[in-house]
Amino acid sequence: MDIASILGVIFCACIVIFGIIFGQENLLETLNHFYDPSSILITFGGSFMCVLTMSPDLRGFLNNIRSFSLILKVLPSTEEETIHTIIDLSNIARKEGLLALEEAANGIDDEFLKKGVLLIVDGTDPELVRSILETELNCIESRHSSTVGFWDSLAAMGPAWGMIGTLIGLINLLYEMDDPRAIGPNMAVALVTTFYGSVLANWISIPVATKLRANNTKEIMIKEVMVEGLLSIQAGENPRVIEEKLKSFLSPARRTAMKEEGGENVG
Amino acid sequence: MDIASILGVIFCACIVIFGIIFGQENLLETLNHFYDPSSILITFGGSFMCVLTMSPDLRGFLNNIRSFSLILKVLPSTEEETIHTIIDLSNIARKEGLLALEEAANGIDDEFLKKGVLLIVDGTDPELVRSILETELNCIESRHSSTVGFWDSLAAMGPAWGMIGTLIGLINLLYEMDDPRAIGPNMAVALVTTFYGSVLANWISIPVATKLRANNTKEIMIKEVMVEGLLSIQAGENPRVIEEKLKSFLSPARRTAMKEEGGENVG
Amino acid sequence: MDIASILGVIFCACIVIFGIIFGQENLLETLNHFYDPSSILITFGGSFMCVLTMSPDLRGFLNNIRSFSLILKVLPSTEEETIHTIIDLSNIARKEGLLALEEAANGIDDEFLKKGVLLIVDGTDPELVRSILETELNCIESRHSSTVGFWDSLAAMGPAWGMIGTLIGLINLLYEMDDPRAIGPNMAVALVTTFYGSVLANWISIPVATKLRANNTKEIMIKEVMVEGLLSIQAGENPRVIEEKLKSFLSPARRTAMKEEGGENVG
Amino acid sequence: MDIASILGVIFCACIVIFGIIFGQENLLETLNHFYDPSSILITFGGSFMCVLTMSPDLRGFLNNIRSFSLILKVLPSTEEETIHTIIDLSNIARKEGLLALEEAANGIDDEFLKKGVLLIVDGTDPELVRSILETELNCIESRHSSTVGFWDSLAAMGPAWGMIGTLIGLINLLYEMDDPRAIGPNMAVALVTTFYGSVLANWISIPVATKLRANNTKEIMIKEVMVEGLLSIQAGENPRVIEEKLKSFLSPARRTAMKEEGGENVG
Amino acid sequence: MDIASILGVIFCACIVIFGIIFGQENLLETLNHFYDPSSILITFGGSFMCVLTMSPDLRGFLNNIRSFSLILKVLPSTEEETIHTIIDLSNIARKEGLLALEEAANGIDDEFLKKGVLLIVDGTDPELVRSILETELNCIESRHSSTVGFWDSLAAMGPAWGMIGTLIGLINLLYEMDDPRAIGPNMAVALVTTFYGSVLANWISIPVATKLRANNTKEIMIKEVMVEGLLSIQAGENPRVIEEKLKSFLSPARRTAMKEEGGENVG
């Protein structure tokens, strides 16, 4: 589980609560100033209903909300592990022939890599293998970018509906200025929606969108390592050349680390 | 009909009305504060007249407004159905020859797919088939993006004309500050245009633009499935290879679902 | 002449004037509140002088201002007319040979199409014809985008100089707060520049920029139809194939309409 | 020297000064309200120090400031002159052979064109000539875009530091509200930094960035004319074909003008 | 060490402090107005916790913070030095054969160049050399852009959390307006978070992001010089042709300077 994102989300909440109550005498009453059900309805309700309008269907909307948990997901395998797997496969292919990969494919968890290996085993034309795998890569990317788009839309809608709520509060307030002592608290209630909208955008939506976008980049890169590796195996390239090729995807530091610990399982 | 978008639009309206009247004593009078004909004219009139200025002609303007209903439209066929249809066609072509597709084409609803099949039956050069279909794809995309651009412009014009209305109200107000008790309500009236502009943008224009953009992506993807499939049929590829190729367009979950329910109608 | 754009510009002006005087007792005095020569100078003068600074030279600046009238221009020919013309040309070429096109070229109004036909008649190499026509297409697009850029800059400069004017007014006002009754009107005068800037941007500049951008897209598309058609004629393709190819540029509705009215003049 | 840009910059300054003093009784005192050394330091100092932080080194920073004068520079040659030069060269090459271009190269001012001619004279491989010239084109563009980036950054930093200055002024002011008569002028002083920031961005930085970007586009286009022309000369193409090809870079109006005045110096 | 960036950061801090205390009587007390621990916590804490949420993991977060020091780093070699090195290598390759480069590779500091030389010595296929080096270039760029993205996110989060802090302060303030003399200082405290957010963005985050982006462009360009050079060496091109080719990456001024000082070490 990805500890950084959990810590970030929790600490942010603590900071906001601390910022609200710091230096105040009556803590509960102060916190209560920041809790206003009708403001919650306008800001959160308005934002979520608008992204519902944008959603392809109800299921897609619910899936996108649930995608929040993806920021806690750690990718199942790193670039290094993928490179190791591919070199192992290339050694098998070299020693026992392409058909021997069928058995090895059973041990592979990654569906994408497995599919690629089976395509090779079936003797599919290299051009077709590349085309099938790249189509799949594009479709993965397009699905991810639709999820990221959901959080981007939410990040835009939060402050917008916060402002609509504040405008509603302000307009109502301006008609009732008879009691000067009530203007302050009424104004405060009007501002609470703006506060909610900013928090929705900056505490949750923008970080989630950014994190998912970064995860997508990483996953696509690992899958590109797979495509390059699979095509090299199919072309019958030397395992050492394949290793050299795939290591270009690593940073120098990780390349050195990989060389030190993993030298022996490369034939 | 797309229930998500209808629910989103209706719930949003309810939330705004609820936010306005919540906690107010005189509901009708409060609602009345948010109804100002001259503000409606400035904000909505100004926004729509400006997008009229941008429109190619009156008919294009009216068509674009009418495109609002497209957010309720569900695409006529899913990727899965398209893949099924293409595999059926490839089986026919394999068993009875390309000319047999002419009859099958009569049963196809999608104009784009039908045209593609007829081009193949006519023995058109594969390069020409691809070029014709891709030109059509580009033109579909350019028509869609002009519709999306209409809603994007409206989303930008709403708040802008809201602000122009508020400025007009403010300037008029600043010349008439003799009666301090009238300042509040006059200020409220000035703010109502900003409220209208935000609602026009965030309740309607942005969600519609985003939804239509997503629908376009989905439709183009389905049509790309068709282009790939048609060219494979023309090239005489094996129906099973075609199926494998086209399934790359699906997510793993939908691929599995398709395999389970549809296995038998693939020859 | 393009009626939509004229109506849009005029109606917008009426809406602004109506919004100003609606509900006011003294119409002329109210309108007068929105007329302030020094504010006009700051907002319009500042904006135009800044886009003058950006202009390549004085003539380019004046041409760009004059390009305002282009939003009223209707493109000389539609896609359908262009397709008809090209099919006529292809019939001539097929029946009487490429050289017979020289005479036909005299009847063509569009300079771009005429040039293309003459290149074909001269027996220019197809690659060179494509390269010459595409270079010209790129240059047309780059000239158009420089005009659009002028209006985009004006759209950005309007509100910016409006704000500079308001700041000047505010700073002057803050030094002269002895007479509380003068603060309101002085503040109103300061706000008038912001009003001018918003109107300059949203009433004129943004719609003109958007309209010209759309016109450019349309013109480029028509010229792409010409390039495709000319190269097909030169390649000696069948007029019916050329028609099929070029109709991909049309929407299904327009394609059907064209078939109904124009079927007979295709050989 | 480019008169449009000088006029623009000077007139803008006059408009700002006029806007400040218009309708004021005591001109010098009013102007004095807009002169505040510490505000100048915060806004201009802060902005320039931040772009210094972004600069590659001190020399690069000073060069970028000096690039201001480039908006007054007129490009040394127009497209028409370049086309004439290239046609002359192609005539020489055709009549006296490629080696005769060496002498002609001495008469060429433009370093880029000269280098290209010498590459041809040396008998360099056409692919290599194109690759060398396009690499140079890319590097020119990347140098230009770094200069444009400097002015873009300044345009963003101006208002940002203006706002920081205003915040500093406001916070200090809010602690010293004992004398109500001093609040106005103190507030005015706080706003002066925002004024400086807007003027820095809109009077200078944005117009300079836009102008330099346009100049770059123009220069790159002229150099592309040169590359196309040089490669055509090397390929031994007919001077008339070269002329036809290069004239595609001109607008129809300029093409006609060129034909009328320059017809005779084309062989 | 890069003096420009250090000077920029330090001078900016001085300007902010000077702007705060200028004209104030009690310097320490004034500075104290701008120091508020709970505001620091909200603005800086909130911003950093949000970018922590976005980070791939804790180590990546700390590495990104540490990347601040990279703005002080000067790139290890200039384009000129790289060109010299490559020409030296090409002379060795020409005189003593490609295998003699192995020894020369030991003297090369740059890991990227060294790897390229060793690939050539191993007799790797030119296409594969280009593919490996370009993959590595893409991965370097993607790593850099993730670091730049960190500072971009921080630049967006600073003002956002500054505003959230100000909203919290405002809302609390509006409930406690009994003592009119406390409103000013309380408002000032609320504004301090906005001040912190602007300073975090404009003093640190934006300049660091811009500087790192420029450094990346420069480093990639130098590495592109290496790729071009290595492939030319492998193709056995003449050292003088290689020099000509690589010098296209330099500005004319630097090209002339290089010719003057470095003419003799080109064989």
Side-chain angles (χ1 to χ4, degrees):
Chain A
M1 211 164 67
D2 189 340
I3 200 84
S5 296
I6 304 175
L7 288 182
V9 170
I10 293 174
F11 282 176
C12 250
C14 298
I15 283 169
V16 169
I17 292 171
F18 177 83
I20 289 174
I21 60 177
F22 181 83
Q24 304 290 325
E25 282 160 25
N26 193 330
L27 299 195
L28 262 185
E29 199 195 300
T30 306
L31 270 179
N32 208 35
H33 293 164
F34 286 81
Y35 172 73
D36 184 47
S38 109
S39 299
I40 290 178
L41 188 81
I42 297 182
T43 312
F44 289 82
S47 304
F48 277 94
M49 285 309 108
C50 273
V51 291
L52 174 63
T53 309
M54 301 172 189
S55 295
D57 47 32
L58 271 174
R59 186 187 297 184
F61 176 66
L62 294 174
N63 282 343
N64 277 334
I65 292 182
R66 239 177 275 137
S67 73
F68 176 75
S69 65
L70 289 178
I71 65 164
L72 307 178
K73 211 184 81 176
V74 177
L75 287 181
S77 60
T78 61
E79 279 95 337
E80 282 89 347
E81 289 164 18
T82 307
I83 296 177
H84 275 291
T85 311
I86 290 190
I87 293 168
D88 290 349
L89 291 172
S90 77
N91 277 319
I92 294 171
R94 197 143 180 109
K95 288 178 194 143
E96 312 171 31
L98 283 177
L99 291 181
L101 290 174
E102 185 151 26
E103 200 183 339
N106 294 328
I108 299 173
D109 289 331
D110 190 284
E111 281 300 317
F112 183 81
L113 185 55
K114 195 170 184 173
K115 180 178 177 180
V117 172
L118 292 176
L119 283 171
I120 293 181
V121 172
D122 287 356
T124 319
D125 182 73
E127 266 317 291
L128 191 54
V129 174
R130 175 183 288 277
S131 147
I132 287 179
L133 295 180
E134 283 183 352
T135 300
E136 188 148 352
L137 222 57
N138 288 340
C139 293
I140 290 172
E141 202 152 16
S142 121
R143 278 197 303 278
H144 286 183
S145 86
S146 128
T147 308
V148 169
F150 171 85
W151 293 100
D152 278 337
S153 293
L154 201 59
M157 279 298 149
W161 283 93
M163 204 192 85
I164 289 177
T166 298
L167 282 169
I168 291 176
L170 261 182
I171 292 170
N172 275 336
L173 160 70
L174 285 164
Y175 279 104
E176 293 157 18
M177 306 220 294
D178 304 328
D179 176 9
R181 297 182 65 92
I183 294 178
N186 283 346
M187 184 77 200
V189 170
L191 277 179
V192 161
T193 54
T194 297
F195 170 73
Y196 287 160
S198 291
V199 166
L200 174 58
N202 294 295
W203 178 40
I204 299 292
S205 309
I206 296 176
V208 170
T210 311
K211 181 74 187 271
L212 294 182
R213 204 176 279 120
N215 276 359
N216 169 57
T217 311
K218 220 174 143 189
E219 190 178 335
I220 294 296
M221 195 170 153
I222 290 179
K223 289 209 164 21
E224 274 170 2
V225 170
M226 292 174 186
V227 175
E228 283 309 311
L230 286 167
L231 291 168
S232 297
I233 291 175
Q234 194 174 25
E237 285 177 16
N238 189 313
R240 287 190 55 194
V241 170
I242 296 179
E243 191 187 358
E244 198 62 46
K245 214 171 170 178
L246 299 187
K247 274 186 180 166
S248 315
F249 284 96
L250 298 179
S251 68
R254 289 168 70 184
R255 220 177 292 155
T256 317
M258 193 180 166
K259 201 176 291 169
E260 278 159 11
E261 43 98 1
E264 67 272 23
N265 73 339
V266 177
Chain B
M1 212 164 65
D2 188 341
I3 200 83
S5 296
I6 304 175
L7 287 183
V9 170
I10 293 175
F11 282 176
C12 250
C14 298
I15 283 169
V16 169
I17 292 171
F18 177 84
I20 289 174
I21 60 178
F22 180 83
Q24 303 291 325
E25 282 158 28
N26 192 331
L27 299 195
L28 261 185
E29 199 194 300
T30 305
L31 270 179
N32 208 35
H33 292 163
F34 287 81
Y35 173 71
D36 184 48
S38 111
S39 299
I40 290 178
L41 188 81
I42 296 182
T43 313
F44 290 82
S47 303
F48 277 95
M49 285 309 108
C50 271
V51 292
L52 174 63
T53 310
M54 301 171 189
S55 294
D57 48 31
L58 271 174
R59 183 186 301 184
F61 175 67
L62 295 174
N63 281 343
N64 277 334
I65 291 182
R66 238 177 277 136
S67 73
F68 175 75
S69 65
L70 289 179
I71 66 163
L72 307 179
K73 209 183 81 177
V74 177
L75 287 182
S77 59
T78 62
E79 280 95 336
E80 282 88 348
E81 288 164 20
T82 307
I83 294 177
H84 275 291
T85 311
I86 290 191
I87 293 168
D88 289 349
L89 291 171
S90 77
N91 278 319
I92 294 172
R94 197 147 179 107
K95 289 179 194 143
E96 312 171 31
L98 284 177
L99 291 181
L101 290 175
E102 185 150 25
E103 200 182 338
N106 294 328
I108 299 173
D109 289 331
D110 189 284
E111 281 300 318
F112 183 81
L113 185 55
K114 196 172 185 172
K115 179 177 178 180
V117 171
L118 292 176
L119 282 171
I120 292 181
V121 172
D122 287 357
T124 320
D125 182 72
E127 266 318 290
L128 192 53
V129 174
R130 176 182 287 278
S131 146
I132 287 178
L133 295 181
E134 282 182 352
T135 300
E136 188 148 352
L137 221 56
N138 288 340
C139 293
I140 290 173
E141 202 152 17
S142 120
R143 279 197 302 280
H144 285 184
S145 86
S146 128
T147 308
V148 169
F150 171 84
W151 293 101
D152 278 337
S153 293
L154 202 58
M157 279 299 151
W161 283 93
M163 203 192 85
I164 289 177
T166 298
L167 282 170
I168 291 176
L170 262 183
I171 292 170
N172 275 336
L173 160 69
L174 286 164
Y175 278 105
E176 293 157 18
M177 306 220 294
D178 303 329
D179 176 9
R181 296 183 65 92
I183 293 179
N186 282 346
M187 184 76 202
V189 171
L191 278 180
V192 161
T193 54
T194 296
F195 170 74
Y196 287 160
S198 291
V199 166
L200 174 58
N202 293 297
W203 178 40
I204 299 293
S205 310
I206 295 176
V208 170
T210 311
K211 181 76 186 270
L212 295 182
R213 202 176 279 122
N215 276 358
N216 169 57
T217 310
K218 219 172 142 191
E219 190 178 335
I220 293 296
M221 196 169 151
I222 290 179
K223 290 208 163 26
E224 273 170 3
V225 171
M226 292 174 185
V227 175
E228 284 308 311
L230 287 167
L231 291 169
S232 297
I233 291 175
Q234 194 175 25
E237 285 177 16
N238 189 311
R240 287 191 55 195
V241 171
I242 296 179
E243 192 188 358
E244 198 62 45
K245 212 171 169 178
L246 298 187
K247 274 187 181 167
S248 315
F249 284 97
L250 298 178
S251 68
R254 289 168 69 183
R255 220 177 292 157
T256 317
M258 194 180 165
K259 203 174 289 170
E260 279 158 12
E261 44 98 359
E264 67 272 22
N265 74 339
V266 178
Chain C
M1 213 165 64
D2 188 341
I3 202 84
S5 296
I6 304 175
L7 287 183
V9 170
I10 294 174
F11 282 176
C12 249
C14 299
I15 283 169
V16 169
I17 291 169
F18 176 83
I20 289 173
I21 60 177
F22 180 83
Q24 303 291 326
E25 283 159 25
N26 193 331
L27 299 195
L28 260 185
E29 199 193 301
T30 306
L31 269 179
N32 208 35
H33 292 161
F34 288 80
Y35 173 71
D36 183 48
S38 111
S39 298
I40 291 178
L41 188 80
I42 296 182
T43 312
F44 290 81
S47 303
F48 277 94
M49 284 310 108
C50 271
V51 291
L52 174 62
T53 309
M54 301 172 190
S55 295
D57 47 32
L58 271 174
R59 183 187 299 183
F61 175 66
L62 295 173
N63 281 343
N64 277 334
I65 291 182
R66 237 177 276 136
S67 73
F68 175 75
S69 65
L70 289 179
I71 66 163
L72 308 179
K73 210 183 81 177
V74 177
L75 287 182
S77 60
T78 62
E79 280 95 336
E80 282 88 347
E81 289 164 18
T82 307
I83 294 176
H84 275 292
T85 312
I86 290 192
I87 293 168
D88 290 349
L89 290 171
S90 77
N91 278 319
I92 295 172
R94 197 145 180 106
K95 289 180 195 143
E96 312 171 32
L98 284 176
L99 291 182
L101 291 174
E102 184 150 26
E103 202 181 337
N106 294 329
I108 299 173
D109 288 331
D110 189 283
E111 282 300 317
F112 183 81
L113 185 56
K114 195 171 187 172
K115 180 177 176 180
V117 172
L118 292 177
L119 282 170
I120 292 180
V121 172
D122 287 356
T124 319
D125 181 72
E127 267 317 291
L128 191 54
V129 173
R130 176 182 286 278
S131 146
I132 287 178
L133 294 181
E134 283 184 351
T135 300
E136 188 147 352
L137 221 57
N138 288 340
C139 293
I140 290 172
E141 202 152 17
S142 121
R143 277 197 302 280
H144 285 184
S145 84
S146 127
T147 309
V148 169
F150 172 84
W151 293 100
D152 277 336
S153 293
L154 203 58
M157 279 297 150
W161 283 92
M163 203 192 84
I164 289 177
T166 298
L167 282 170
I168 292 175
L170 261 183
I171 292 170
N172 275 335
L173 160 68
L174 285 165
Y175 279 104
E176 292 159 18
M177 307 221 294
D178 303 329
D179 177 9
R181 297 182 65 91
I183 293 178
N186 282 347
M187 183 76 201
V189 171
L191 277 180
V192 161
T193 53
T194 296
F195 170 73
Y196 287 161
S198 290
V199 166
L200 173 58
N202 293 297
W203 178 40
I204 299 293
S205 310
I206 294 176
V208 171
T210 310
K211 181 76 184 271
L212 295 182
R213 203 176 278 122
N215 276 358
N216 169 56
T217 309
K218 219 173 143 191
E219 190 178 336
I220 293 296
M221 195 169 151
I222 290 178
K223 291 209 162 23
E224 274 171 2
V225 171
M226 293 175 184
V227 175
E228 283 309 310
L230 286 167
L231 291 169
S232 297
I233 292 175
Q234 195 175 24
E237 285 177 15
N238 189 313
R240 288 191 53 195
V241 171
I242 296 178
E243 192 188 358
E244 198 62 45
K245 212 170 169 180
L246 298 187
K247 274 186 179 169
S248 315
F249 285 97
L250 297 179
S251 69
R254 291 168 69 183
R255 221 178 290 157
T256 317
M258 195 179 164
K259 203 175 289 171
E260 279 159 11
E261 44 99 358
E264 66 273 20
N265 73 339
V266 178
Chain D
M1 213 164 66
D2 188 341
I3 202 83
S5 296
I6 304 175
L7 287 182
V9 170
I10 293 174
F11 282 177
C12 250
C14 298
I15 283 169
V16 170
I17 292 170
F18 178 83
I20 289 173
I21 60 178
F22 180 84
Q24 303 290 325
E25 283 160 25
N26 192 331
L27 298 195
L28 259 185
E29 199 193 301
T30 305
L31 270 179
N32 208 36
H33 293 162
F34 288 80
Y35 172 71
D36 183 48
S38 110
S39 298
I40 291 177
L41 187 80
I42 296 182
T43 313
F44 289 82
S47 304
F48 277 96
M49 284 309 109
C50 272
V51 291
L52 174 62
T53 308
M54 301 172 190
S55 295
D57 48 31
L58 272 174
R59 184 187 298 183
F61 175 67
L62 295 173
N63 281 343
N64 277 334
I65 292 182
R66 238 177 275 137
S67 74
F68 175 76
S69 64
L70 289 179
I71 66 163
L72 308 178
K73 210 184 81 176
V74 177
L75 287 182
S77 59
T78 62
E79 280 94 337
E80 282 88 347
E81 289 164 19
T82 306
I83 294 176
H84 274 292
T85 311
I86 290 190
I87 293 167
D88 290 349
L89 290 171
S90 78
N91 278 319
I92 294 172
R94 198 150 179 102
K95 288 180 195 140
E96 312 170 33
L98 285 176
L99 292 182
L101 290 174
E102 184 150 27
E103 202 181 337
N106 295 328
I108 299 172
D109 288 331
D110 189 284
E111 281 301 316
F112 183 81
L113 185 55
K114 195 171 185 173
K115 179 177 177 179
V117 172
L118 292 177
L119 282 171
I120 293 180
V121 172
D122 287 357
T124 319
D125 181 72
E127 267 317 291
L128 190 54
V129 173
R130 177 182 285 277
S131 147
I132 287 178
L133 294 181
E134 283 184 350
T135 300
E136 188 148 352
L137 222 56
N138 287 341
C139 293
I140 290 172
E141 203 152 17
S142 121
R143 278 197 302 279
H144 286 184
S145 85
S146 128
T147 308
V148 169
F150 172 85
W151 292 100
D152 278 336
S153 292
L154 203 57
M157 280 298 150
W161 284 92
M163 203 191 85
I164 289 177
T166 298
L167 282 170
I168 291 175
L170 263 183
I171 291 171
N172 275 334
L173 160 67
L174 285 165
Y175 279 105
E176 293 158 16
M177 306 222 294
D178 303 329
D179 177 11
R181 298 183 64 90
I183 293 177
N186 282 346
M187 183 78 200
V189 170
L191 277 179
V192 161
T193 54
T194 296
F195 170 73
Y196 287 161
S198 290
V199 166
L200 173 58
N202 293 296
W203 178 40
I204 299 292
S205 309
I206 294 175
V208 170
T210 311
K211 181 75 186 272
L212 294 182
R213 203 176 278 121
N215 275 359
N216 170 55
T217 309
K218 219 173 144 190
E219 189 178 336
I220 292 296
M221 195 171 152
I222 292 179
K223 291 210 161 22
E224 274 170 1
V225 170
M226 292 175 185
V227 174
E228 283 309 310
L230 286 167
L231 291 169
S232 297
I233 292 176
Q234 195 176 23
E237 285 177 14
N238 189 313
R240 287 191 54 194
V241 171
I242 296 178
E243 192 189 358
E244 198 61 45
K245 212 172 169 178
L246 298 187
K247 274 185 178 169
S248 315
F249 286 97
L250 297 179
S251 69
R254 290 167 68 183
R255 221 177 292 157
T256 318
M258 195 180 163
K259 203 176 287 171
E260 278 159 12
E261 43 99 357
E264 66 273 22
N265 72 341
V266 179
Chain E
M1 213 164 65
D2 188 339
I3 201 84
S5 295
I6 304 175
L7 287 182
V9 170
I10 293 174
F11 281 177
C12 250
C14 298
I15 282 168
V16 169
I17 292 170
F18 177 84
I20 289 174
I21 60 178
F22 181 85
Q24 303 291 324
E25 282 160 27
N26 192 332
L27 299 195
L28 260 185
E29 199 193 301
T30 306
L31 269 179
N32 208 34
H33 293 162
F34 287 81
Y35 172 72
D36 184 47
S38 108
S39 299
I40 290 178
L41 187 80
I42 297 181
T43 313
F44 289 82
S47 304
F48 277 95
M49 284 309 107
C50 272
V51 291
L52 174 62
T53 309
M54 302 173 189
S55 295
D57 48 32
L58 272 174
R59 185 187 295 183
F61 176 66
L62 294 174
N63 282 343
N64 277 335
I65 292 182
R66 238 176 274 138
S67 73
F68 176 75
S69 65
L70 289 179
I71 66 163
L72 307 178
K73 211 185 79 176
V74 177
L75 287 182
S77 60
T78 62
E79 280 95 337
E80 282 89 347
E81 288 163 19
T82 307
I83 295 176
H84 275 292
T85 310
I86 290 189
I87 294 168
D88 290 350
L89 290 171
S90 77
N91 278 319
I92 293 171
R94 198 149 180 103
K95 287 178 195 141
E96 314 170 32
L98 283 176
L99 291 182
L101 290 174
E102 184 150 26
E103 202 182 338
N106 294 327
I108 299 172
D109 288 330
D110 190 284
E111 281 301 315
F112 183 82
L113 184 56
K114 196 171 185 172
K115 179 176 177 181
V117 172
L118 291 177
L119 282 171
I120 293 181
V121 172
D122 287 356
T124 319
D125 181 72
E127 266 318 291
L128 190 55
V129 173
R130 176 183 287 276
S131 148
I132 287 178
L133 295 181
E134 283 184 351
T135 300
E136 188 148 353
L137 222 57
N138 288 341
C139 292
I140 291 172
E141 203 152 16
S142 121
R143 277 196 302 279
H144 286 183
S145 86
S146 128
T147 308
V148 169
F150 171 86
W151 293 100
D152 278 337
S153 292
L154 202 58
M157 279 298 149
W161 283 93
M163 204 192 84
I164 289 177
T166 297
L167 282 170
I168 291 176
L170 262 182
I171 291 171
N172 275 334
L173 160 69
L174 284 164
Y175 280 104
E176 293 158 16
M177 306 219 296
D178 304 327
D179 176 10
R181 297 184 64 91
I183 293 178
N186 282 345
M187 183 79 200
V189 170
L191 278 179
V192 161
T193 54
T194 297
F195 170 73
Y196 287 160
S198 291
V199 166
L200 173 58
N202 293 296
W203 178 40
I204 299 292
S205 309
I206 295 176
V208 170
T210 312
K211 180 75 186 271
L212 294 182
R213 204 176 277 122
N215 275 359
N216 170 55
T217 310
K218 220 173 143 191
E219 190 179 335
I220 293 296
M221 194 170 154
I222 290 180
K223 291 208 162 22
E224 274 170 1
V225 170
M226 292 174 185
V227 175
E228 283 309 311
L230 286 168
L231 291 168
S232 298
I233 291 176
Q234 194 175 23
E237 284 178 16
N238 188 313
R240 287 191 54 194
V241 171
I242 296 178
E243 192 187 358
E244 199 60 47
K245 213 172 170 178
L246 299 187
K247 274 185 179 168
S248 315
F249 285 96
L250 298 179
S251 69
R254 289 168 69 184
R255 221 177 291 157
T256 317
M258 194 180 163
K259 202 176 288 170
E260 278 158 12
E261 43 98 359
E264 67 271 23
N265 73 340
V266 178

